[in-house]
Amino acid sequence: MDSSKAGRGRSPAQRKLSRAGWWMVTPAVAHIGLWTALPVLATFALSLTDYNIFDAPRWIGIDNYIQIWNDPTFRLATWNTVVYTFWTVPVSMAIAMIIAVALNQNLWLRTWYRTAFFLPQVTATVAIAMVWLWIYNPQQGLLNAALSVIGIPGQAWLANPDWSLWAVILVGAWQGIGIKMLIYIAALQNVDNSLYEAASVDGASVVRKFFAITLPMLKPATFFVLVISIIGAFQVFDQIYVLTDGGPANATTMMTYEVYRSAFQNFQMGLASAQSVCLFAFLLVMTLISRRATRGDDE
């Protein structure tokens, strides 16, 4: 039976229910179309123009992309973003998983510990960055004071091109632990405890249980955490703006910061749109790679 005959064969109650469903999703679809789809399409269109806000856009084709390709600063920003993502994502995921496994046990003050670890996630990034500015302060900073106790000379962590990116990476990895931990805890609570009991009967150690039961059962959560972590890492901006302003010597400049400078400092909206498209392409590729790396049997 074809679909048209099937549609005509539905009862009035089914047709009424179908219309009600469409009316319910219409506001969400309209919202997505107006505030997401249209801006994305406009970004693609503006990326092919020379637009500075004050004058009408002028069509220039792929010139903006050619400029990006030949721009050493944007290439450096891309490399810095990849390095930042490469270190912050797996480090914070590993630490978050370990903490989640620990806090999934029947510990005293377990709820308090969970809140403490999650607190940086809900604290404004600017406030977090201000705290780390004090920690990294070369004169009165907590980090240099702690190093001096064990006889290690301090550094100008945010002013030294050799250390500034690593200092930013540490902040990003630390701040991202909370939300990942929360997702892992939620996933762990759905794992059947009888699996661990059966493994204990078979004499499996704690480490064996972790690799044979916990890790496989956390695969869907790991994929989700990996994707949102990569997206968040590629979109890092606030802490760069406050901690280093992209310096020193562009050592901490990220792709999003280059988009900001092109758009709101140099008013090159067409170029900024092209840079945003490049950022979108990077995120799409990284998401596909993550999906392939974490895929397995159908869950």
Side-chain angles (χ1 to χ4, degrees):
M1 186 189 323
D2 60 29
S3 58
S4 60
K5 292 182 179 179
R8 289 195 298 268
R10 291 186 304 174
S11 67
Q14 289 175 323
R15 291 196 294 269
K16 184 177 180 181
L17 186 63
S18 178
R19 287 195 299 269
W22 280 110
W23 278 111
M24 289 180 182
V25 301
T26 296
V29 173
H31 181 273
I32 293 173
L34 181 63
W35 299 109
T36 302
L38 285 180
V40 168
L41 294 176
T43 298
F44 277 99
L46 287 175
S47 70
L48 303 173
T49 66
D50 179 14
Y51 179 44
N52 62 5
I53 297 180
F54 306 105
D55 301 317
R58 181 174 60 88
W59 180 268
I60 60 173
I62 63 172
D63 287 358
N64 285 325
Y65 294 97
I66 295 175
Q67 181 177 344
I68 290 172
W69 181 263
N70 296 322
D71 185 4
T73 302
F74 193 78
R75 288 202 299 269
L76 178 60
T78 303
W79 173 250
N80 288 341
T81 305
V82 171
V83 172
Y84 177 87
T85 303
F86 179 81
W87 286 102
T88 58
V89 172
V91 169
S92 60
M93 285 180 64
I95 296 175
M97 183 179 293
I98 293 172
I99 294 174
V101 172
L103 295 184
N104 196 48
Q105 312 302 317
N106 292 321
L107 299 177
W108 184 58
L109 296 178
R110 178 177 59 178
T111 302
W112 187 91
Y113 289 128
R114 291 178 180 178
T115 304
F117 280 111
F118 186 70
L119 191 59
Q121 187 68 41
V122 295
T123 304
T125 305
V126 174
I128 294 290
M130 293 300 295
V131 173
W132 280 93
L133 273 176
W134 166 68
I135 294 174
Y136 286 139
N137 187 286
Q139 280 79 39
Q140 296 89 24
L142 179 63
L143 181 56
N144 281 350
L147 291 176
S148 65
V149 173
I150 56 178
I152 299 177
Q155 300 284 338
W157 301 101
L158 299 176
N160 188 333
D162 295 330
W163 289 103
S164 55
L165 182 58
W166 296 107
V168 171
I169 287 173
L170 177 61
V171 178
W174 171 80
Q175 189 179 11
I177 291 174
I179 186 64
K180 300 175 182 63
M181 175 206 70
L182 198 65
I183 295 172
Y184 278 131
I185 288 177
L188 285 169
Q189 291 178 348
N190 290 322
V191 178
D192 190 352
N193 196 51
S194 63
L195 296 174
Y196 294 104
E197 294 174 354
S200 298
V201 172
D202 292 338
S205 65
V206 174
V207 175
R208 178 63 178 170
K209 291 178 186 176
F210 177 79
F211 285 101
I213 300 175
T214 305
L215 275 183
M217 297 300 291
L218 290 180
K219 183 179 290 186
T222 298
F223 169 67
F224 177 72
V225 170
L226 181 61
V227 171
I228 65 171
S229 299
I230 290 175
I231 293 174
F234 267 80
Q235 293 179 339
V236 61
F237 174 79
D238 294 4
Q239 64 193 51
I240 301 297
Y241 184 82
V242 176
L243 289 173
T244 63
D245 198 25
N250 292 319
T252 59
T253 297
M254 304 290 175
M255 296 175 74
T256 51
Y257 197 76
E258 274 300 289
V259 174
Y260 161 77
R261 285 205 290 210
S262 298
F264 300 108
Q265 292 184 356
N266 301 326
F267 298 104
Q268 295 177 301
M269 293 296 177
L271 179 61
S273 297
Q275 291 170 340
S276 299
V277 172
C278 293
L279 176 59
F280 168 77
F282 262 92
L283 284 173
L284 180 60
V285 171
M286 294 299 294
T287 301
L288 293 176
I289 293 175
S290 303
R291 180 69 185 95
R292 178 170 292 273
T294 57
R295 72 178 182 180
D297 297 332
D298 293 335
E299 299 296 334

